[in-house]
Amino acid sequence: MQTFAIGVDLGGTNLRIAAVDDSGKLLEKLTLGTEVKRGRDHVIQEMCNAIEQLKAKYKASGELCGIGIGVPGFIDMETGRVMRSPNLADWTNFPVREVIEKRLSTPVILENDANVAAMGEKWLGAGRQVEHMAMYTLGTGVGGGLIFNGKLWHGMTGMAGELGHFNVFPDGHPCGCGSRGCLEQYASATAVVRMAREAIERKEASEELERLAPDPQQFTSRSIYNLAVQGDTSAKKIFETVGRALGIGIGGMVNALNLPMYVIGGGVASSWDAFAPTMFAEMKFRSSIYSLTSPEQKEFVRSTLITRALLGSDAGLYGAARLPMLEDFTQVEKSRTHA
Ligand SMILES: [Zn+2]
């Protein structure tokens, strides 16, 4: 081992930290009981302690090249600050990168959580063989990440890849972003539950689906999926809408970018067999580029692959650890001092 890095997944509820070497081998993974709701200073303290611990433990076998931190929300890449994060309100505008760098004397990269998941899948997961890919993370919301030439595409201000807010139904359900009918409103776990509730209100739900509703622990996208695979028509219909929304969203991306791979991860991705048939049908309808390049077509040597993510919730940890390995910090220093 030459070097290793530390990846941090700063979720809405938990803090996870992993030491990963430059060959992609996981050295150690810590899930800290740290409650994010106890506030920023507490979380930073716990995070720094754990990083120091890992740094000391593995220093004999390699050099720590940096720390990558995945954060839910908008990040200002220039200043290393969280611009907006619904789950981490007290982190807004706080100079996270600077504070941690000073404390640990190690370079820190702050990155959006969906972007680090995309990087993880690119490095060690579904995207290992491609240089360009888009990733959709279907969780409480829908996150997105774009990788071009093996690197994250940030756009002008670091806000690129918000694939969850790709518009799929222009007059559809209102979205937290202020728009209507965003992909997130049809393909997230939250959306699956909402659509089930709407079906019940419209009296279009089966008795079984209706029976789940009163108990929030039971009324989850997973249990609705279980009904769908058992053949429940009303549950199946919900996942057809998920598939349709994804097909429209990804079809648009295929038309715009003609990438070799689109990876779908997050909790709802495990309902693949319930939404994928509609998704593929919709993609063929919406994107003639997909029709021409889908794997069953033999016209082109290379196909457009739409595939499931492989790393589960560890994608973000691996991706966060990968970021400092890809960075030339001497160049970063220069650009920061000249800014
Ligand atoms: Zn939106």
Side-chain angles (χ1 to χ4, degrees):
M1 176 171 79
Q2 301 284 307
T3 59
F4 73 102
I6 289 174
V8 179
D9 175 16
L10 177 59
T13 47
N14 259 318
L15 179 62
R16 300 191 309 144
I17 297 179
V20 183
D21 79 12
D22 54 4
S23 71
K25 191 174 142 232
L26 177 70
L27 302 173
E28 190 163 341
K29 182 163 73 175
L30 303 170
T31 302
L32 301 186
T34 308
E35 289 176 82
V36 172
K37 64 170 189 283
R38 284 185 62 188
R40 186 188 70 208
D41 295 344
H42 175 76
V43 173
I44 289 177
Q45 182 64 43
E46 296 275 297
M47 186 195 297
C48 289
N49 289 348
I51 292 169
E52 290 282 18
Q53 196 185 315
L54 291 173
K55 192 173 164 182
K57 190 165 171 185
Y58 295 101
K59 73 170 181 222
S61 38
E63 189 197 339
L64 176 62
C65 71
I67 300 159
I69 306 177
V71 184
F74 285 126
I75 312 292
D76 183 337
M77 300 303 293
E78 299 251 333
T79 62
R81 290 168 189 243
V82 179
M83 299 293 288
R84 198 168 71 185
S85 178
N87 297 322
L88 301 167
D90 59 342
W91 293 69
T92 308
N93 264 320
F94 179 77
V96 191
R97 184 179 68 204
E98 208 181 309
V99 166
I100 301 176
E101 273 180 351
K102 271 202 186 122
R103 211 127 137 190
L104 300 175
S105 320
T106 308
V108 171
I109 297 175
L110 213 60
E111 185 58 84
N112 168 271
D113 59 347
N115 282 354
V116 294
M119 181 47 79
E121 287 292 334
K122 158 72 194 92
W123 187 28
L124 301 166
R128 287 189 310 270
Q129 309 295 337
V130 297
E131 278 304 293
H132 322 285
M133 60 170 255
M135 174 149 173
Y136 292 78
T137 306
L138 315 181
T140 315
V142 172
L146 295 170
I147 289 182
F148 300 154
N149 296 311
K151 290 203 144 196
L152 279 168
W153 174 255
H154 287 112
M156 179 180 68
T157 57
M159 292 174 178
E162 285 294 328
L163 308 180
H165 300 284
F166 194 102
N167 204 285
V168 291
F169 301 120
D171 302 313
H173 196 267
C175 184
C177 72
S179 178
R180 275 178 177 273
C182 295
L183 178 61
E184 177 165 290
Q185 297 306 322
Y186 297 91
S188 61
T190 318
V192 168
V193 172
R194 189 204 75 239
M195 290 189 284
R197 190 162 290 125
E198 287 168 352
I200 294 169
E201 280 162 15
R202 290 196 306 264
K203 310 237 176 289
E204 286 169 15
S206 66
E207 272 176 40
E208 287 76 11
L209 185 58
E210 218 165 312
R211 216 173 293 144
L212 294 174
D215 181 0
Q217 304 278 29
Q218 294 288 316
F219 202 43
T220 61
S221 72
R222 185 74 206 172
S223 60
I224 298 163
Y225 163 74
N226 287 338
L227 280 184
V229 287
Q230 285 160 28
D232 184 295
T233 316
S234 54
K236 274 164 77 176
K237 243 177 129 176
I238 292 165
F239 283 97
E240 282 163 17
T241 306
V242 173
R244 191 157 173 248
L246 281 168
I248 296 171
I250 303 175
M253 290 289 288
V254 172
N255 287 344
L257 299 172
N258 188 208
L259 300 175
M261 184 178 278
Y262 302 79
V263 180
I264 302 177
V268 179
S270 58
S271 309
W272 180 270
D273 50 345
F275 68 72
T278 328
M279 176 181 75
F280 285 118
E282 194 69 33
M283 286 192 59
K284 283 180 188 158
F285 174 57
R286 300 283 170 180
S287 170
S288 52
I289 298 171
Y290 183 70
S291 299
L292 283 167
T293 61
S294 75
E296 55 264 38
Q297 297 298 326
K298 304 282 178 237
E299 210 165 320
F300 297 96
V301 184
R302 302 176 69 181
S303 313
T304 303
L305 295 177
I306 318 292
T307 187
R308 283 181 68 174
L310 298 178
L311 302 177
S313 58
D314 284 345
L317 274 178
Y318 283 111
R322 181 62 170 160
L323 294 174
M325 297 177 194
L326 296 174
E327 201 68 64
D328 178 354
F329 287 108
T330 51
Q331 290 302 318
V332 174
E333 239 0 274
K334 260 186 227 157
S335 75
R336 279 185 202 165
T337 41
H338 288 283

